[in-house]
Amino acid sequence: MTDLSPISALGHAVPQAVRIGTLTITENAGLALASLALRQGGGAPQPFGLPLPGPGGWANAGATSAFWTGPGAWMIEADGRAEDDFASALKAEAPGCSVAEQTDGWAVFEIAASVATLEALLEKLVNIDASRFVPGSALRTGLEHMSVFLIRRTEGQLALWAMRSAAGSAFHAIEAAARRLDVA
Amino acid sequence: MLIPHPLLGPRDAQEFTYLGDASLLNRPDGMAEGALAAFCDYVYLRDNPAGVHRELWFHEQGDRSWLVVTRNTVTHEILGAELARDVALRRQK
Amino acid sequence: MTRLSGGLIDRSKTLRFTFNGKGYTGHPGDTLASALLANGVRLVGRSFKYHRPRGIFAAGSEEPNALVTLRSGARAEPNTRATVAELFDGLQATSQNHVGPLNFDLLAVNDLLSPFFAAGFYYKTFMWPKVFWEKLYEPMIRRAAGLGAMSMQADPDAYDKGFLHCDLLVIGAGAAGLAAALTAARSGARVILADEDFRLGGRLLAEGETLGDAIAPDWVAGVEAELASLPNLRILRRTTVFGAFDHGIYGAVERVGDHLPTPQTVRQTLWRITAKRTLLAAGTTERHIPFANNDRPGIMLAGALRAYVHRWAASPADKVAIFTSNDDGHRTAADLVAKGMQVTAVIDPRRDAKALGQYPLYAGAVVSDTRGRLGLSHVQITRDGAPVWVEAGALGVAGGWNPNLHLASHHRGRPVWSDAHLAFLPAAAGGPPGLSVAGAAAGQGTTQAALTHGAQAAQAALADLGIAASLPDLPAASDAKGNQHPLWHVPGKHRAWVDFQNDVTVKDIKLAHQENMRPVEHLKRWTTLGMATDQGKTANVTALAVMAELTGQSIPQTGATIFRPPYTPVSLAVLGGGDTGPNFRPRRLTPTHPWAAAQGAVFVEVGQWMRAQYFPRPGEATWRETVDREVLATRAGVGICDVTTLGKVDVQGRDAGSFLDRLYANPMASLKVGMVRYGLMLREDGHAYDDGTCARLAEDHYVVTTTTAQAGPVYRQMEFARQCLWPDLDVQLISTTDAWAQLSVAGPNARKLLERVVDGFDLSNEAFPFMACAPLTVCGGLRARLFRISFSGELAYELAVPARYGNALMARLVQVGADLGATPYGTEALGVMRIEKGHAAGNELNGQTTAQMLGMGKMVSAKKDAIGTVMTRREGMLAESRILVGLQPVDPADPVTAGAHLFAEGAAQDTWSDQGWITSACFSPHVGSAIGLGFLTDGVARLGEVIVAANPLEGKSTRLRVVSPHFVDPDGGRLRD
């Protein structure tokens, strides 16, 4: 175990969280992320028993989830494994695929609120049809000129992956939009 | 504009980066005889039609697919879109 | 001049406001205009060119005259239409465009000079002498032009934006819009109903009509209550849909807080609405009839007069006259009489006109002149050549109604003239796809027709989408279609205004005709007709009709007016979006940012990145002192720099090597695992594009780097190559720029420093030579990647760790390397050291240079077909003899200026003698003087020669000696130690 101390994407020793009425935005520093891409002629694996979702989809099995990022490409999320070499673990689960470490390429903010509030927030942030972005959906899109992944985990839970270097700007954008909503 | 992404459905054009004429898919063989002349045409000669045009768009703020979009440059009507990779593979066959 | 009974205002509450400092009161439900009228204020401003006294002309967003500055201080907002400014307690308004008090404007002298200010005046007058333009004419015109003035202070309010999606967008909540929204919402479709007013109902609020057995406002309230209860419908009040864009995308501004004494969270929101179908139900705008002196305060549109009376219970004067060419004007007269007002005359050019109520009717007559210095007092009525003067404090003018088809023509859809309507109607085809027009905007102008047409249009639009909607039961309403007579202006000697906002008169149109500015586009530009905030909503069609009369052609032969976005003015603040200052655009921070900030680093913006520029220490007076110290410390001991911003792309797949061979001009497939190679990318036209390194981590795995600036474009290019050019290759790409914190550790003590953090990794020159790379662990088990590469010319490594550890690693290296002289350095020192080493960077890779110019011509492999290789063989490229050299001033005290051009000593300093330019320059603490890099004709052959760098901008020339670009360690021994 290294004796160096990590910092979260927002630059602090501990992940940040903010509550605005019933809406919460939480930096999740424990979620590991790795990319998985199929090689030509190779079949789709089921890493950790996870069926890989189709375009626009997010699928979850226990502590591991996957979302589609492009033709033949996915991101795999693993709860609480950010400190592990998760890419190597995934590589072992997906032999013959291209895997790259992505945990620290991104920062994820988990947003929880009522359905109406989440959809009102989405309307202010991204140009996607919020009411059609149902649980199990995942998309990459632009948010305030940043490239982000959005995942609707449940009716009331949204995850937003932003480039780690722009985590502060992304957090600001979400928080500013949330504060402008009429959230009781 | 809305680009009808073949995998993701209509997506706002702001998510895309525009490149231009889809003839850029037809890259000449650089090792062939007369490659220099072929490349001069490839690099510099483009049709610039007022009307139906096949053009390349990159879904940069999306799934990173290059698309061939058929668009009427006068009305902006979009007549179709497919993955550029599929077009390129078909061309090679 | 007082409040009448009734109206849609809340008399239980009183709102105080001021106009030009004087206090007045009004009620919730008032606009500034209705409150001013109710307080007897008719004079509200001065006209643009002639500074004529002007009053309120309309009752909606088409208002040309009543432009005021709202609020004060930083919130002062010029050119606001009083007719749409919702009254709030404490509102402050001031009039515009006058010098001295409003009722005694010193610039009113312009009115006496009016013969000089005719159409085309500026074009004709300010042409010569040329030198007068900048010094005299432009400042003078700028002072006189414009109406209100900006506060020149930062806007204190927040603006927002958002994105909405729907099946049906209904624009306008009048009779047609409400019927459409009701029809669509009941079907379950997702509907957005937007209206620019703060109250739904549109024209229904301005009439004394009944719908079924309810008075109009009550019927509206009933519909509104049902709509509000439906979750699939969203009502956007105070929202102007200002533009129709491609593929069903509409721009709209919601004025969230404009009506509040102090805007709360957000002042305005810009909505980008993506609608599958759209109904334009924007109603109609009345037009006037130009006659002599028709611009006095008190003269207004007859329909506006009716609206002020019904909706706002505000009467502009005790005695009112109506000038109408149609039956609708008589309706106004009858309504006024019913409200107990005194109608002194109704003037109608039709000899067979019939009165609709008890008022004096002048059939077969016109208004031929008016009196009243700061407000109307009398109108002159001429019948059969015999004029009489009749007293009137207000005159309603009714010249017919123009459909508000603006959005339907935003894609250049040309409206079609209808003789039956005496108006342009939206064309059946050619408008924005997916948009249809309903109700009065489509010529279905009676209340009954508008209701029915609105419901049917919604049904048809939804049927297109496969959504079945049934028609609601609609109430019985007025279906009276009045007659109208085409009267476009009253001929006469005096000025008759067509466009009030731009002071364009019938005479100006005659002049335009005389000077052959006849096509409608020329007419507009020659006279300024239809420009500015109202965009000629009350003027354009009338002007066209006058021009038609002059040319002897029909109106459709003369032309048609079409429109561009925005429908009404949109503030730049709301287009600019919500964030200002440091949040105006995303900021990317490097992994070591917190540590650098704690050290007092000065940061510099590099694209979106904030990078440490230098790390000043106490006692250092200038940045140069700091940078010199950082450079010398690195070259003497060891320096550490965060280089995370360089783009990193992970390349995997069986064909990864072959793929990179096609992307880089030099070979990459032959690179051994565990080694790194410099790579140069070309554009397909043969010019240098970008450079970086390729590290081969495994047979099927490379990590390549790009320059910071080109990380995005290079990745795009790589995906283009992968998907479009060589789709048969097995290769997968993903950016890992942010994933790894990458620190450059450079200097003679670099190895010693790294030995203190690696976990038993052999760093000896034999085990890990120059250009080696390897995965390893550091600091007790942290996974890392090490690359032995150098940008500074020193023994150097780049160490990459997961980004979250970058900050701690930086602190650790500086801490454990204290005795080795470990010194953090920023981008300035980085730049100095790369110039000293003669490495090309962005200044040299500027898109106009070639591998040959960079001294890398031999790197371009002829044995493979890489992007750009073929085109480097063009004659012109091969003949290029400018090449990168080092430059050093002959007098060490002289500066070297980047951008300066190079000439042989004694040569003329002109284009024909130009021999190149300086790309990069800095002070080199290593050399002890300024140095530079530049491209010089036949440079290699001229080492030692003295040339001249010309800096004509500053009138300076400097003598420079041509030297090797490698000021430091030219044989590269330090790198390989």
Side-chain angles (χ1 to χ4, degrees):
Chain A
M1 195 56 195
T2 179
D3 60 347
L4 292 179
S5 304
I7 56 172
S8 79
L10 292 175
H12 301 281
V14 290
Q16 304 293 292
V18 65
R19 169 178 286 276
I20 300 157
T22 54
L23 181 146
T24 57
I25 310 165
T26 312
E27 184 186 10
N28 182 359
L31 193 58
L33 191 70
S35 63
L36 170 69
L38 302 185
R39 296 212 168 164
Q40 275 192 13
Q46 286 208 1
F48 312 103
L50 194 62
L52 296 173
W58 174 80
N60 164 260
T64 319
S65 313
F67 57 95
W68 185 90
T69 57
W74 293 265
M75 287 283 197
I76 314 296
E77 302 172 303
D79 290 342
R81 298 188 66 173
E83 290 297 333
D84 305 350
D85 186 359
F86 176 63
S88 295
L90 176 61
K91 181 95 185 152
E93 288 279 319
C97 292
S98 293
V99 170
E101 172 68 51
Q102 290 288 337
T103 303
D104 281 5
W106 300 83
V108 63
F109 301 108
E110 306 283 349
I111 306 164
S114 70
V115 175
T117 302
L118 268 194
E119 291 183 358
L121 183 68
L122 277 172
E123 280 174 1
K124 289 295 183 75
L125 289 174
V126 287
N127 191 3
I128 60 173
D129 191 341
S131 65
R132 301 286 156 92
F133 193 63
V134 295
S137 303
L139 275 178
R140 185 176 193 157
T141 188
L143 183 155
E144 302 285 9
H145 305 278
M146 290 172 275
S147 193
V148 299
F149 291 110
L150 272 177
I151 302 162
R152 185 87 178 256
R153 299 200 194 278
T154 66
E155 284 284 349
Q157 287 178 297
L158 190 74
L160 187 146
W161 285 99
M163 287 189 297
R164 182 181 175 96
S165 58
S169 289
F171 190 78
H172 166 82
I174 306 167
E175 188 184 354
R179 291 198 187 280
R180 286 169 183 168
L181 296 177
D182 195 13
V183 188
Chain B
M1 289 198 285
L2 297 177
I3 307 291
H5 192 294
L7 301 175
L8 295 166
R11 307 285 293 185
D12 199 281
Q14 283 193 332
E15 291 181 351
F16 293 80
T17 307
Y18 180 76
L19 179 63
D21 193 340
S23 70
L24 284 170
L25 292 176
N26 311 326
R27 186 179 185 273
D29 178 356
M31 305 309 278
E33 194 84 2
L36 186 53
F39 265 88
C40 281
D41 288 356
Y42 171 71
V43 171
Y44 292 114
L45 294 187
R46 302 270 194 290
D47 287 335
N48 183 23
V52 175
H53 191 216
R54 278 160 51 84
E55 49 197 29
L56 286 159
W57 293 72
F58 181 50
H59 197 198
E60 185 140 39
Q61 304 263 40
D63 76 340
R64 306 291 176 106
S65 283
W66 278 95
L67 304 184
V68 174
V69 176
T70 307
R71 185 175 70 104
N72 185 319
T73 57
V74 176
T75 62
H76 293 187
E77 186 188 0
I78 292 185
L79 304 158
E82 53 186 325
L83 295 177
R85 186 168 188 277
D86 293 346
V87 179
L89 282 171
R90 240 182 6 245
R91 203 180 66 84
Q92 288 189 346
K93 272 170 196 158
Chain C
M1 314 233 328
T2 48
R3 286 285 186 190
L4 307 166
S5 61
L8 302 173
I9 49 171
D10 178 4
R11 288 166 204 262
S12 69
K13 293 195 186 88
T14 297
L15 305 175
R16 287 157 301 137
F17 71 100
T18 64
F19 177 63
N20 284 343
K22 191 173 170 200
Y24 299 97
T25 61
H27 301 291
D30 262 325
T31 62
L32 174 60
S34 70
L36 285 170
L37 288 174
N39 281 282
V41 178
R42 286 188 302 171
L43 172 63
V44 297
R46 290 277 176 169
S47 77
F48 181 58
K49 225 158 63 172
Y50 303 129
H51 292 256
R52 301 261 298 184
R54 290 285 166 81
I56 293 157
F57 188 71
S61 61
E62 70 271 29
E63 175 63 37
N65 277 343
L67 303 183
V68 298
T69 297
L70 267 194
R71 306 180 197 257
S72 58
R75 286 206 168 86
E77 187 185 358
N79 305 333
T80 306
R81 288 150 295 158
T83 50
V84 293
E86 200 172 334
L87 198 68
F88 55 83
D89 197 48
L91 179 146
Q92 293 170 286
T94 45
S95 55
Q96 305 180 152
N97 208 36
H98 49 91
V99 174
L102 176 60
N103 58 9
F104 192 79
D105 177 7
L106 295 173
L107 280 177
V109 66
N110 280 8
D111 196 33
L112 302 174
L113 300 174
S114 63
F116 299 103
F117 285 104
F121 167 71
Y122 288 89
Y123 297 128
K124 291 170 189 166
T125 309
F126 297 111
M127 288 179 60
W128 54 267
K130 201 177 158 191
V131 290
F132 276 30
W133 177 252
E134 255 183 48
K135 295 262 185 307
L136 181 67
Y137 296 152
E138 191 185 334
M140 191 181 85
I141 293 169
R142 283 197 185 281
R143 244 198 320 279
L147 293 164
M150 304 216 294
S151 76
M152 303 311 283
Q153 296 176 47
D155 188 332
D157 292 318
Y159 295 80
D160 205 0
K161 54 103 192 61
F163 309 90
L164 297 174
H165 297 254
C166 64
D167 295 318
L168 184 69
L169 167 65
V170 180
I171 303 167
L178 287 172
L182 195 62
T183 306
R186 284 181 182 170
S187 77
R190 293 190 306 154
V191 185
I192 293 172
L193 174 64
D195 195 285
E196 61 178 351
D197 205 334
F198 53 89
R199 190 162 178 150
L200 301 190
R203 193 68 209 175
L204 290 175
L205 305 178
E207 308 291 3
E209 285 186 36
T210 53
L211 282 81
D213 45 16
I215 59 166
D218 288 353
W219 181 82
V220 171
V223 173
E224 191 174 345
E226 179 177 347
L227 295 179
S229 72
L230 295 169
N232 54 319
L233 178 129
R234 178 177 193 138
I235 299 173
L236 293 174
R237 285 182 189 77
R238 303 181 176 94
T239 302
T240 305
V241 179
F242 63 78
F245 303 95
D246 284 314
H247 304 160
I249 295 169
Y250 292 82
V253 170
E254 181 181 4
R255 290 170 293 279
V256 182
D258 276 10
H259 61 293
L260 303 173
T262 306
Q264 300 296 308
T265 48
V266 168
R267 175 112 182 234
Q268 298 180 350
T269 298
L270 177 70
W271 292 108
R272 183 182 174 100
I273 303 174
T274 306
K276 291 186 178 134
R277 291 291 180 277
T278 300
L279 272 191
L280 178 64
T284 54
T285 298
E286 200 170 21
R287 58 187 180 233
H288 66 107
I289 305 167
F291 51 85
N293 293 311
N294 60 330
D295 66 332
R296 295 189 198 281
I299 300 176
M300 58 171 58
L301 294 169
L305 191 55
R306 199 158 84 212
Y308 283 117
V309 167
H310 283 302
R311 179 171 171 183
W312 290 288
S315 156
D318 295 332
K319 293 180 175 167
V320 182
I322 303 290
F323 179 26
T324 180
S325 62
N326 54 61
D327 292 355
D328 192 63
H330 290 269
R331 183 175 167 191
T332 302
D335 281 11
L336 301 188
V337 170
K339 280 276 183 182
M341 292 168 63
Q342 189 185 346
V343 176
T344 55
V346 174
I347 306 102
D348 191 324
R350 301 173 297 176
R351 290 193 178 274
D352 57 352
K354 289 190 179 56
L356 283 180
Q358 294 298 312
Y359 49 77
L361 172 64
Y362 295 76
V366 293
V367 175
S368 48
D369 203 355
T370 64
R371 283 211 304 256
R373 194 176 77 82
L374 296 174
L376 183 70
S377 65
H378 292 81
V379 295
Q380 186 191 58
I381 303 171
T382 299
R383 179 158 51 185
D384 299 330
V388 293
W389 286 95
V390 171
E391 205 183 334
L395 174 70
V397 184
W401 296 82
N402 291 322
N404 289 330
L405 47 78
H406 303 66
L407 270 76
S409 70
H410 279 183
H411 290 195
R412 296 195 68 79
R414 296 195 86 80
V416 180
W417 180 257
S418 161
D419 277 326
H421 294 83
L422 287 180
F424 284 103
L425 298 181
L435 178 138
S436 45
V437 189
Q444 304 291 326
T446 73
T447 305
Q448 186 71 68
L451 288 169
T452 310
H453 193 240
Q456 287 170 344
Q459 190 185 40
L462 294 176
D464 254 9
L465 301 176
I467 300 171
S470 46
L471 295 176
D473 284 333
L474 294 168
S478 160
D479 203 18
K481 291 189 190 68
N483 287 318
Q484 54 177 341
H485 168 77
L487 175 64
W488 299 109
H489 71 114
V490 177
K493 279 197 306 204
H494 298 294
R495 279 176 296 165
W497 272 261
V498 177
D499 181 332
F500 297 103
Q501 189 159 98
N502 296 288
D503 267 340
V504 178
T505 64
V506 172
K507 268 188 187 170
D508 292 318
I509 299 173
K510 285 182 177 161
L511 189 61
H513 172 255
Q514 198 179 311
E515 297 186 340
N516 213 23
M517 295 294 177
R518 295 177 189 180
V520 68
E521 283 78 14
H522 290 175
L523 171 66
K524 172 173 175 168
R525 280 153 189 86
W526 192 240
T527 63
T528 69
L529 173 100
M531 298 191 179
T533 67
D534 70 337
Q535 290 288 295
K537 288 188 180 64
T538 57
N540 288 348
V541 175
T542 306
L544 195 63
V546 172
M547 181 58 91
E549 192 181 288
L550 294 167
T551 55
Q553 291 182 313
S554 69
I555 290 172
Q557 280 170 328
T558 307
T561 53
I562 62 169
F563 303 89
R564 290 180 292 203
Y567 174 65
T568 52
V570 176
S571 70
L572 288 176
V574 76
L575 292 176
D579 276 318
T580 54
N583 290 313
F584 182 67
R585 64 173 186 170
R587 282 198 315 169
R588 299 178 71 183
L589 304 185
T590 65
T592 61
H593 191 90
W595 182 86
Q599 302 303 307
V602 172
F603 293 96
V604 60
E605 283 188 26
V606 181
Q608 292 181 339
W609 288 101
M610 297 295 290
R611 296 188 71 179
Q613 191 175 15
Y614 50 95
F615 294 81
R617 283 193 183 158
E620 288 172 344
T622 67
W623 66 271
R624 257 282 310 284
E625 245 182 272
T626 305
V627 172
D628 288 356
R629 171 184 52 76
E630 290 174 6
V631 170
L632 293 172
T634 301
R635 297 217 185 278
V638 57
I640 307 153
C641 182
D642 188 333
V643 293
T644 304
T645 61
L646 293 178
K648 307 179 195 78
V649 184
D650 185 277
V651 183
Q652 297 190 42
R654 289 187 296 274
D655 299 319
S658 163
F659 177 72
L660 293 176
D661 253 358
R662 301 177 199 213
L663 278 170
Y664 288 92
N666 51 320
M668 285 300 165
S670 57
L671 183 66
K672 290 193 173 64
V673 172
M675 293 304 287
V676 187
R677 185 173 288 167
Y678 174 82
L680 179 69
M681 278 188 190
L682 305 179
R683 288 196 314 239
E684 198 68 277
D685 68 3
H687 284 89
Y689 178 42
D690 198 61
D691 69 351
T693 57
C694 295
R696 192 164 199 172
L697 301 180
E699 274 302 315
D700 57 355
H701 190 186
Y702 289 75
V703 172
V704 308
T705 66
T706 73
T707 58
T708 299
Q710 297 279 46
V714 167
Y715 183 83
R716 190 186 309 150
Q717 158 99 328
M718 291 175 78
E719 283 289 6
F720 179 75
R722 184 178 82 93
Q723 296 175 37
C724 301
L725 300 182
W726 298 292
D728 49 326
L729 295 185
D730 178 48
V731 57
Q732 294 82 40
L733 305 174
I734 193 155
S735 166
T736 56
T737 304
D738 283 22
W740 297 89
Q742 195 142 323
L743 304 185
S744 166
V745 181
N749 291 336
R751 184 182 289 119
K752 276 184 217 151
L753 174 55
L754 283 178
E755 278 167 350
R756 298 176 184 183
V757 294
V758 297
D759 298 336
F761 185 83
D762 185 356
L763 283 167
S764 69
N765 209 19
E766 297 68 42
F768 197 70
F770 181 53
M771 297 308 263
C773 68
L776 74 169
T777 64
V778 299
C779 299
L782 179 63
R783 60 189 186 281
R785 288 171 179 171
L786 188 65
F787 309 86
R788 187 169 163 192
I789 52 180
S790 176
F791 198 44
S792 56
E794 299 298 326
L795 167 68
Y797 301 83
E798 289 187 11
L799 177 59
V801 294
R804 65 180 65 194
Y805 288 99
N807 202 56
L809 178 65
M810 183 73 165
R812 174 68 52 86
L813 288 170
V814 171
Q815 181 206 335
V816 303
D819 60 314
L820 301 172
T823 302
Y825 65 92
T827 55
E828 286 297 329
L830 181 82
V832 169
M833 285 192 277
R834 75 96 190 160
I835 295 172
E836 287 179 338
K837 179 62 185 171
H839 273 310
N843 296 11
E844 286 74 35
L845 291 160
N846 71 347
Q848 300 173 306
T849 56
T850 64
Q852 193 171 307
M853 289 172 76
L854 293 163
M856 302 182 198
K858 292 205 179 84
M859 267 174 62
V860 180
S861 167
K863 293 184 190 143
K864 62 194 182 83
D865 180 16
I867 289 176
T869 304
V870 171
M871 293 293 265
T872 61
R873 293 176 207 141
R874 285 185 286 168
E875 263 175 56
M877 298 270 254
L878 294 172
E880 174 64 71
S881 74
R882 284 176 299 192
I883 195 160
L884 195 68
V885 295
L887 299 162
Q888 209 171 320
V890 174
D891 176 350
D894 273 347
V896 177
T897 309
H901 276 246
L902 304 175
F903 298 92
E905 266 207 306
Q909 294 187 358
D910 57 25
T911 306
W912 297 273
S913 314
D914 191 297
Q915 296 195 317
W917 73 98
I918 299 176
T919 53
S920 300
C922 67
F923 178 83
S924 165
H926 173 78
V927 175
S929 76
I931 60 168
L933 298 175
F935 293 108
L936 178 67
T937 304
D938 297 324
V940 177
R942 296 169 71 177
L943 294 185
E945 186 181 328
V946 172
I947 57 165
V948 173
N951 175 8
L953 281 180
E954 293 176 345
K956 284 181 191 159
S957 288
T958 313
R959 297 176 72 229
L960 301 176
R961 191 174 308 281
V962 181
V963 297
S964 154
H966 310 295
F967 296 89
V968 167
D969 190 29
D971 58 5
R974 295 186 192 183
L975 305 171
R976 296 181 174 81
D977 262 355

